[in-house]
Amino acid sequence: MPLPERRYVITFGCPDRTGIVARISSFLAEHGGWIVEAAYHTDPATNWFFTRQEVRADSLPFDVEELRTRFAEVARELGAHPGSWRVADSGERRRVVILVSKEGHCLYDLLGRVASHELDVDVAAVIGNHADLAGITRAHGIPFHHLPFPANDPEGKAAAFAQLRQLVDGHRPHAVVLARFMQILPPELCAAWAGRALNIHHSFLPSFVGARPYHQARSRGVKLVGATCHYVTADLDQGPIVEQDVIRVDHTDSVNDMVRKGRDIEKVVLSRGLRWHLEDRVLVHGNQTVIF
Amino acid sequence: MPLPERRYVITFGCPDRTGIVARISSFLAEHGGWIVEAAYHTDPATNWFFTRQEVRADSLPFDVEELRTRFAEVARELGAHPGSWRVADSGERRRVVILVSKEGHCLYDLLGRVASHELDVDVAAVIGNHADLAGITRAHGIPFHHLPFPANDPEGKAAAFAQLRQLVDGHRPHAVVLARFMQILPPELCAAWAGRALNIHHSFLPSFVGARPYHQARSRGVKLVGATCHYVTADLDQGPIVEQDVIRVDHTDSVNDMVRKGRDIEKVVLSRGLRWHLEDRVLVHGNQTVIF
Amino acid sequence: MPLPERRYVITFGCPDRTGIVARISSFLAEHGGWIVEAAYHTDPATNWFFTRQEVRADSLPFDVEELRTRFAEVARELGAHPGSWRVADSGERRRVVILVSKEGHCLYDLLGRVASHELDVDVAAVIGNHADLAGITRAHGIPFHHLPFPANDPEGKAAAFAQLRQLVDGHRPHAVVLARFMQILPPELCAAWAGRALNIHHSFLPSFVGARPYHQARSRGVKLVGATCHYVTADLDQGPIVEQDVIRVDHTDSVNDMVRKGRDIEKVVLSRGLRWHLEDRVLVHGNQTVIF
Amino acid sequence: MPLPERRYVITFGCPDRTGIVARISSFLAEHGGWIVEAAYHTDPATNWFFTRQEVRADSLPFDVEELRTRFAEVARELGAHPGSWRVADSGERRRVVILVSKEGHCLYDLLGRVASHELDVDVAAVIGNHADLAGITRAHGIPFHHLPFPANDPEGKAAAFAQLRQLVDGHRPHAVVLARFMQILPPELCAAWAGRALNIHHSFLPSFVGARPYHQARSRGVKLVGATCHYVTADLDQGPIVEQDVIRVDHTDSVNDMVRKGRDIEKVVLSRGLRWHLEDRVLVHGNQTVIF
């Protein structure tokens, strides 16, 4: 599969008014920018405007830094604040750190996608609070760190989280993926990785928050089970939802059957969410997401 | 479409043990019973056995009353209590009463299915706390009763519910369908119609219990909305779930769009649940359902 | 439900090049046009650019005719030919003519959507080659024409099609809906109604073209059945696809069960396709569609 | 996850008549057989009866060989021929051989399921006509055989197939999985592996038989793409279908995007089909399958 040509991706939000599209597209047009993909959205409830534009890098007469500098001017004009826009460069390879525990289905799935170049990213490291998944990780040529989180030992746990942060931040990852990592991140880590930490929760949120969602689902007698990929925030399982999906179950399905069927959904939901995040397709707005 | 031949439907539950299938099928075989469809299930958690058997009426040398008498003996032997089995006769036409408010999509859908003989039932009456849907109901040749439920008038409301009960019970319906009926049934009506009153709730329960679920869904930023058909119990939106389904939404969908998309799901989920109920395919077990 | 404010909808296609978005959005911006919704797409295989723009009518200082005149200039500049762009006015009420035969599920469904204002259109007439659906049509206050198509009588059939064309064209409809109309339109009608005649085919095309698709599906042993809404062309069941969906079936489903399950899919697929068509969301490009 | 207790699985088909269920269940009951799961089906079109029964091994006073001998008597009585029934023993570990080419997504997926014990089978060998997937296979501790199939060399190809047959048959596998194996099996291999060779085809059959189905799908403009798991027969892509599923695509999806989205469907469809096959849940009847 040939790599697509290098692109700059502008994601942008500002209060809605007339002329925004004209201003941005004229800015690009006057420099010869070739827009490969463009999407717009306005949220009437909050009167907020969103756009994402993919521009061929070789169509512009300057580099990404110059594009950022010049676009900052346009953004200022349109009333955007510095945190509400970004210019990404597809030429910069995406780095991902994956956090795991014992359950391997999401990790196996991600590693398979990376190995077959479907997800064209660098997995900088896999970090597990158990060592079960060290073998498969290293078979893919990826470093695995075993970092135990002692139960009933708040100080030990805090130390482990500090070490986790150091390990992760050393890679400056574009995404920290909690691939069925069973530890709840402390608020300071949620804050440090805000907008970059993606969790897969094994239920169709807001149903069945917290532990053992398949047991909760079985006990409520639902006819579908699901999975939710969301950004991690300090409120457990309450962060902005990136993607969800469901699969049908029935009375013949034990909790174990639900777990098995649900895994297929967890895997695709997490990989879709991660892909969209890494392609700068996800714009967070309050507790909601716009997916371009 | 030729009508299927007349059938007796046995639904049966008892504590699990070996030999139940042999006992029931031998009983049928020794009288020449031709089993058209048979399903079995055991719930390991509660050790309960379930079965549903459809037998051609003309294959048995006696009528449904005699079948009931003779099968009672088998049931007793197998430790079933009187409430845990039933013999239904497909020759007895099913009667349905539908309760509505102002929103017509579920009613239109049901009336269309009845008129095209897809749902081969008698709609004995439609009862609305508003009169909006009187016209379409009567155009189908079905009586419509307008029965207002005064707000902020407990006595008036209680009188309306008493009248509702009288109206409904006069038809001895096999199903009371709450087709977006916006009144909460009082506990005594829930008890009187237990196992016969089917509600359609416009969310994927247990998410978004209660009022304005699509507003709740929009505000939580979910990526799918759904609908749930469940038996009505005294606990609001907590009854045994018969059927659920979902449809994808995204950031471009306003609450009104979600309402519109959700309606298509409400309609099919309600009609599926009602069909299964009327064909004696739903066995309630605690707060769960077995759908044969 | 409050009606959304009046809007002008520009749909536009031209050979791709840089600066198209800038040109169109600048044109709108310089007249104060408030873009409510905008979508863009480029097909790399044919190097064709597509856009759809919804503009608030009250934001422009002129009426729709003037908008057409002025936009024609922009279109010419961008190399679009007269047939590849259009300006629609949401203030002009959409007229629909529905063609039926004996099977009523799609008609019941459409009439219910219209009656509940979900589809806010005028059904100018329903025309059937059988009279079975006259009653329900007239109960909705809509004229029904019974127009028999004699079998084995080519002249009689040609006369019937001529009369059909006259009846339909008299209403100048925005859409001619073949809601399980069982007659194959002659090429001259396909040509006359090109881009306006929508058919619902009861299979997931290109599987099971032609007659009795559910029988074909049962005989092939497929595990899903579907439906396809497409524009009618002179090649039977080969026109551009607007929407498709499927539903699961299994070995317990007879052909009749497949027919019943499939109807639920036919109804939603047709109504979605019709809505998108009437909202000018469907751009045909060769034998493919862009759905904005 | 605790292993379920050992079970004997009876799959059985015979011409329908009254008393079959009674005969089989009485046979089991008189030996104390504890039926864990039972399913029945009658195909009215061919008047054929099907059943599958899971019995706890420890509930019977004899071993699987004795069960086969005794059940053969029952089968004879009921008019079943030797090929239309079978008794499998869950205590016998399932062996699988996987055939691959260059594309790894299905192999990665299967290996992940095996490694996480979701699919509790022995992968005896992976055989590839290219060596690309040797590394990941061996990392899982599974032998990989590289067996090139020379193009434009009928004799060389025939020799390769002969070697393939020898390699595969040496493992006496319960399933031969064509996990995107790009070679068409010659008729004698189809015959030798009849009912055991499972292929994953990357389209929703019968649409898009043969090569490059995603290209065909893109060119036809379909709105969903799918995958089909079927038994291999001498007629290309015409064998009995075990499982199918679909995923939505739209005009923004290039062929490459369709390939990527379709892979997620291929993986789950193949793994579901393989699981059902290995659990003796698939009964082939003509060109159709009953899935219990």
Side-chain angles (χ1 to χ4, degrees):
Chain A
M1 200 181 309
L3 281 176
E5 69 284 344
R6 186 173 177 181
R7 297 172 180 190
Y8 301 142
V9 179
I10 302 172
T11 46
F12 177 85
C14 71
D16 195 24
R17 57 170 231 203
T18 59
I20 305 174
V21 179
R23 184 68 192 90
I24 295 176
S25 54
S26 299
F27 163 77
L28 290 170
E30 78 198 25
H31 297 294
W34 181 351
I35 302 172
V36 182
E37 194 183 318
Y40 301 91
H41 175 63
T42 303
D43 180 46
T46 57
N47 196 40
W48 200 258
F49 171 90
F50 307 83
T51 187
R52 176 184 183 277
Q53 314 246 352
E54 269 190 35
V55 186
R56 282 185 67 145
D58 59 10
S59 69
L60 288 174
F62 37 66
D63 68 4
V64 69
E65 274 317 313
E66 181 70 14
L67 174 58
R68 282 191 189 114
T69 307
R70 294 185 180 224
F71 189 76
E73 197 58 42
V74 178
R76 205 157 23 235
E77 243 180 69
L78 294 170
H81 56 81
S84 74
W85 66 275
R86 201 175 46 204
V87 178
D89 179 354
S90 80
E92 185 192 6
R93 224 173 138 65
R94 297 301 187 262
R95 288 177 308 280
V96 170
V97 172
I98 304 177
L99 311 187
V100 300
S101 187
K102 285 181 174 179
E103 284 222 59
H105 57 284
C106 285
L107 180 67
Y108 281 105
D109 184 71
L110 291 174
L111 295 180
R113 290 174 197 270
V114 172
S116 56
H117 305 292
E118 181 195 311
L119 261 183
D120 197 24
V121 303
D122 286 332
V123 180
V126 174
I127 304 171
N129 62 334
H130 294 275
D132 305 52
L133 300 169
I136 185 66
T137 303
R138 290 174 184 147
H140 281 264
I142 295 166
F144 181 92
H145 304 282
H146 179 204
L147 184 58
F149 284 73
N152 306 317
D153 172 4
E155 276 184 40
K157 217 162 185 175
F161 275 117
Q163 205 185 335
L164 175 67
R165 182 172 184 174
Q166 205 171 22
L167 270 171
V168 168
D169 288 352
H171 296 290
R172 292 178 303 114
H174 296 85
V176 183
V177 180
L178 286 71
R180 300 298 305 276
F181 183 60
M182 304 305 282
Q183 301 291 324
I184 298 173
L185 294 190
E188 66 274 15
L189 278 191
C190 295
W193 299 339
R196 283 187 298 150
L198 281 168
N199 185 45
I200 180 71
H201 183 74
H202 39 317
S203 85
F204 182 71
L205 289 175
S207 289
F208 312 133
V209 164
R212 294 164 65 93
Y214 292 118
H215 288 77
Q216 295 182 54
R218 172 74 197 172
S219 143
R220 180 60 187 94
V222 293
K223 300 299 184 186
L224 302 159
V225 295
T228 304
C229 174
H230 64 93
Y231 286 110
V232 176
T233 62
D235 296 320
L236 184 65
D237 299 334
Q238 303 293 324
I241 293 172
V242 179
E243 173 62 338
Q244 301 187 291
D245 215 333
V246 293
I247 191 169
R248 194 159 276 273
V249 293
D250 65 27
H251 62 267
T252 64
D253 289 305
S254 64
V255 169
N256 281 346
D257 293 327
M258 288 184 171
V259 166
R260 175 172 50 76
K261 291 184 172 182
R263 277 177 185 154
D264 280 347
I265 300 302
E266 295 169 40
K267 292 189 287 190
V268 295
V269 163
L270 175 58
S271 73
R272 275 187 219 142
L274 177 59
R275 162 180 298 277
W276 297 339
H277 170 80
L278 292 176
E279 292 181 352
D280 294 281
R281 298 186 174 280
V282 187
L283 280 70
V284 175
H285 184 59
N287 206 39
Q288 306 192 8
T289 58
V290 170
I291 313 285
F292 280 135
Chain B
M1 200 182 310
L3 281 176
E5 69 284 344
R6 185 173 178 181
R7 296 173 181 190
Y8 301 142
V9 179
I10 301 171
T11 45
F12 177 86
C14 71
D16 195 24
R17 55 170 233 204
T18 59
I20 304 175
V21 179
R23 184 69 192 89
I24 294 177
S25 55
S26 298
F27 164 77
L28 290 170
E30 79 198 24
H31 297 294
W34 181 352
I35 301 171
V36 180
E37 194 184 318
Y40 301 89
H41 176 62
T42 302
D43 181 44
T46 57
N47 197 40
W48 199 259
F49 171 91
F50 307 83
T51 188
R52 177 185 182 275
Q53 314 248 350
E54 270 190 33
V55 185
R56 284 186 65 147
D58 60 10
S59 70
L60 288 173
F62 38 65
D63 69 4
V64 68
E65 273 317 315
E66 181 70 14
L67 174 58
R68 280 189 191 116
T69 307
R70 293 186 182 223
F71 188 76
E73 195 60 39
V74 178
R76 203 155 26 234
E77 242 179 70
L78 293 171
H81 56 81
S84 75
W85 65 274
R86 201 172 50 204
V87 179
D89 179 355
S90 79
E92 187 192 5
R93 223 172 139 65
R94 297 302 188 261
R95 288 177 307 280
V96 169
V97 172
I98 304 176
L99 311 187
V100 300
S101 187
K102 284 180 174 180
E103 284 222 59
H105 56 283
C106 285
L107 181 67
Y108 281 104
D109 183 72
L110 291 174
L111 294 180
R113 290 174 196 270
V114 172
S116 57
H117 304 294
E118 182 194 310
L119 260 182
D120 196 25
V121 304
D122 287 333
V123 179
V126 174
I127 304 171
N129 62 333
H130 294 275
D132 305 53
L133 299 169
I136 185 67
T137 303
R138 288 174 187 147
H140 281 266
I142 295 166
F144 182 91
H145 304 282
H146 179 204
L147 183 58
F149 283 73
N152 306 318
D153 172 4
E155 275 183 40
K157 215 161 185 176
F161 275 118
Q163 205 184 335
L164 174 67
R165 181 171 183 174
Q166 203 172 22
L167 270 171
V168 169
D169 288 352
H171 295 291
R172 291 178 305 114
H174 297 84
V176 184
V177 179
L178 284 72
R180 298 297 306 273
F181 182 61
M182 304 305 282
Q183 300 292 322
I184 297 174
L185 295 190
E188 65 273 16
L189 277 192
C190 296
W193 299 337
R196 283 187 299 151
L198 281 169
N199 184 48
I200 180 72
H201 183 74
H202 39 319
S203 86
F204 180 64
L205 289 174
S207 288
F208 312 134
V209 164
R212 296 165 62 91
Y214 292 119
H215 287 78
Q216 296 182 53
R218 173 73 195 170
S219 143
R220 180 60 187 95
V222 292
K223 300 300 183 186
L224 301 159
V225 294
T228 304
C229 175
H230 64 93
Y231 286 110
V232 176
T233 61
D235 295 320
L236 184 65
D237 299 333
Q238 303 293 325
I241 293 171
V242 179
E243 174 62 338
Q244 302 187 290
D245 216 334
V246 293
I247 192 169
R248 193 160 277 273
V249 293
D250 64 28
H251 61 269
T252 66
D253 290 304
S254 65
V255 170
N256 281 346
D257 293 327
M258 287 184 172
V259 166
R260 175 171 49 77
K261 292 185 172 182
R263 277 178 184 154
D264 280 347
I265 300 301
E266 295 169 41
K267 292 189 288 190
V268 295
V269 163
L270 176 58
S271 74
R272 274 187 219 143
L274 178 58
R275 163 182 297 277
W276 296 340
H277 171 79
L278 293 175
E279 292 182 352
D280 294 283
R281 296 187 176 281
V282 187
L283 280 71
V284 175
H285 184 59
N287 206 39
Q288 307 193 6
T289 58
V290 170
I291 314 284
F292 279 134
Chain C
M1 202 181 310
L3 282 176
E5 69 284 344
R6 186 174 178 180
R7 296 173 181 188
Y8 301 142
V9 179
I10 302 171
T11 45
F12 177 85
C14 72
D16 195 23
R17 56 168 231 203
T18 60
I20 304 174
V21 179
R23 185 67 192 91
I24 295 177
S25 56
S26 298
F27 164 77
L28 290 170
E30 78 198 25
H31 297 294
W34 182 351
I35 302 171
V36 181
E37 193 182 319
Y40 302 89
H41 175 63
T42 301
D43 180 45
T46 56
N47 196 39
W48 200 259
F49 171 90
F50 308 83
T51 187
R52 177 185 181 276
Q53 313 247 353
E54 270 190 34
V55 185
R56 283 186 64 147
D58 60 11
S59 70
L60 289 172
F62 36 66
D63 68 6
V64 69
E65 275 315 317
E66 181 71 13
L67 175 58
R68 281 189 190 117
T69 307
R70 294 185 181 223
F71 189 75
E73 197 59 42
V74 178
R76 207 160 19 238
E77 241 178 73
L78 293 171
H81 56 81
S84 75
W85 65 275
R86 203 173 46 204
V87 178
D89 179 354
S90 79
E92 186 192 5
R93 223 174 139 63
R94 297 301 187 262
R95 289 176 308 282
V96 171
V97 173
I98 304 176
L99 311 187
V100 300
S101 187
K102 286 181 172 177
E103 285 221 59
H105 57 282
C106 284
L107 180 66
Y108 280 105
D109 183 71
L110 291 174
L111 295 180
R113 291 176 196 270
V114 172
S116 58
H117 305 293
E118 181 194 310
L119 261 181
D120 198 24
V121 304
D122 286 333
V123 180
V126 175
I127 304 171
N129 62 334
H130 294 275
D132 306 52
L133 300 170
I136 184 67
T137 303
R138 291 174 184 146
H140 280 266
I142 295 166
F144 182 93
H145 304 283
H146 179 203
L147 184 58
F149 284 73
N152 306 318
D153 171 5
E155 277 184 38
K157 216 162 184 174
F161 275 117
Q163 204 184 335
L164 175 67
R165 180 171 183 174
Q166 205 172 22
L167 270 172
V168 168
D169 287 352
H171 295 290
R172 291 179 304 115
H174 296 84
V176 184
V177 180
L178 285 72
R180 297 299 305 276
F181 182 60
M182 304 305 282
Q183 300 291 323
I184 297 174
L185 294 190
E188 65 273 17
L189 279 192
C190 295
W193 299 339
R196 284 187 299 150
L198 280 169
N199 184 47
I200 180 73
H201 182 75
H202 39 318
S203 85
F204 180 65
L205 290 174
S207 289
F208 313 133
V209 164
R212 294 164 67 92
Y214 292 119
H215 288 77
Q216 295 182 55
R218 171 74 196 169
S219 143
R220 180 61 187 93
V222 293
K223 300 301 183 185
L224 302 159
V225 295
T228 304
C229 175
H230 64 94
Y231 286 111
V232 177
T233 62
D235 295 321
L236 183 66
D237 299 334
Q238 303 293 326
I241 293 172
V242 180
E243 173 63 337
Q244 303 186 289
D245 216 334
V246 293
I247 192 169
R248 194 159 276 274
V249 293
D250 64 29
H251 61 268
T252 65
D253 289 304
S254 65
V255 169
N256 281 346
D257 293 326
M258 287 184 172
V259 167
R260 174 172 51 76
K261 291 186 173 182
R263 278 178 183 153
D264 280 347
I265 300 302
E266 294 169 39
K267 292 189 288 191
V268 295
V269 163
L270 176 58
S271 74
R272 274 188 219 142
L274 178 59
R275 162 180 298 276
W276 296 339
H277 171 79
L278 293 174
E279 292 182 353
D280 294 283
R281 297 187 175 280
V282 187
L283 281 70
V284 175
H285 183 60
N287 206 39
Q288 306 193 6
T289 58
V290 170
I291 313 284
F292 279 135
Chain D
M1 200 182 311
L3 283 175
E5 69 284 343
R6 186 174 177 180
R7 296 174 180 188
Y8 300 143
V9 179
I10 301 172
T11 46
F12 178 86
C14 71
D16 196 22
R17 57 169 231 205
T18 59
I20 305 174
V21 179
R23 185 68 191 87
I24 295 176
S25 56
S26 297
F27 164 75
L28 290 170
E30 79 198 23
H31 297 295
W34 182 352
I35 301 171
V36 181
E37 194 182 318
Y40 301 90
H41 176 62
T42 301
D43 180 44
T46 55
N47 196 41
W48 200 260
F49 171 90
F50 307 82
T51 187
R52 177 185 182 276
Q53 313 247 353
E54 269 190 34
V55 185
R56 284 186 64 148
D58 60 9
S59 70
L60 288 174
F62 37 66
D63 68 6
V64 69
E65 274 316 314
E66 180 71 14
L67 174 58
R68 281 188 190 119
T69 306
R70 293 186 182 222
F71 189 75
E73 196 59 40
V74 178
R76 205 156 25 234
E77 241 179 71
L78 294 170
H81 56 81
S84 75
W85 66 273
R86 201 173 49 206
V87 179
D89 179 354
S90 79
E92 185 191 6
R93 223 170 140 67
R94 296 301 186 263
R95 287 176 308 280
V96 171
V97 172
I98 304 176
L99 310 187
V100 299
S101 187
K102 284 181 174 179
E103 285 222 58
H105 56 283
C106 284
L107 181 67
Y108 280 105
D109 184 71
L110 291 173
L111 294 180
R113 290 175 197 269
V114 171
S116 58
H117 305 294
E118 182 195 310
L119 261 182
D120 197 25
V121 304
D122 286 333
V123 180
V126 174
I127 304 171
N129 62 332
H130 294 275
D132 304 53
L133 299 170
I136 184 66
T137 302
R138 290 175 185 146
H140 281 266
I142 294 166
F144 181 92
H145 304 282
H146 179 203
L147 183 58
F149 283 74
N152 306 319
D153 172 4
E155 274 184 41
K157 216 161 184 175
F161 276 119
Q163 205 184 337
L164 175 67
R165 181 171 183 174
Q166 204 172 22
L167 270 171
V168 169
D169 288 352
H171 295 291
R172 292 178 303 113
H174 297 85
V176 184
V177 180
L178 285 72
R180 300 298 306 275
F181 182 61
M182 303 306 282
Q183 301 291 322
I184 298 175
L185 294 190
E188 65 273 16
L189 278 193
C190 295
W193 299 338
R196 283 186 300 151
L198 281 168
N199 185 46
I200 180 73
H201 183 74
H202 39 317
S203 86
F204 181 70
L205 291 175
S207 290
F208 312 134
V209 163
R212 295 165 64 95
Y214 292 118
H215 288 77
Q216 296 182 52
R218 173 73 197 170
S219 143
R220 179 60 188 96
V222 293
K223 299 301 183 185
L224 301 159
V225 295
T228 304
C229 174
H230 64 93
Y231 286 110
V232 177
T233 62
D235 295 320
L236 184 65
D237 298 335
Q238 304 293 325
I241 294 172
V242 179
E243 174 62 337
Q244 301 187 291
D245 216 333
V246 294
I247 191 168
R248 194 160 276 274
V249 294
D250 64 28
H251 61 269
T252 65
D253 289 305
S254 65
V255 170
N256 281 346
D257 293 326
M258 287 184 172
V259 167
R260 175 172 48 77
K261 290 185 173 183
R263 277 178 185 154
D264 280 347
I265 300 303
E266 295 169 40
K267 292 188 288 189
V268 294
V269 163
L270 176 58
S271 74
R272 276 189 218 140
L274 177 58
R275 163 181 297 278
W276 297 339
H277 170 80
L278 293 176
E279 293 182 352
D280 295 282
R281 296 187 175 280
V282 187
L283 281 71
V284 175
H285 184 59
N287 206 38
Q288 306 193 6
T289 58
V290 170
I291 313 284
F292 279 134

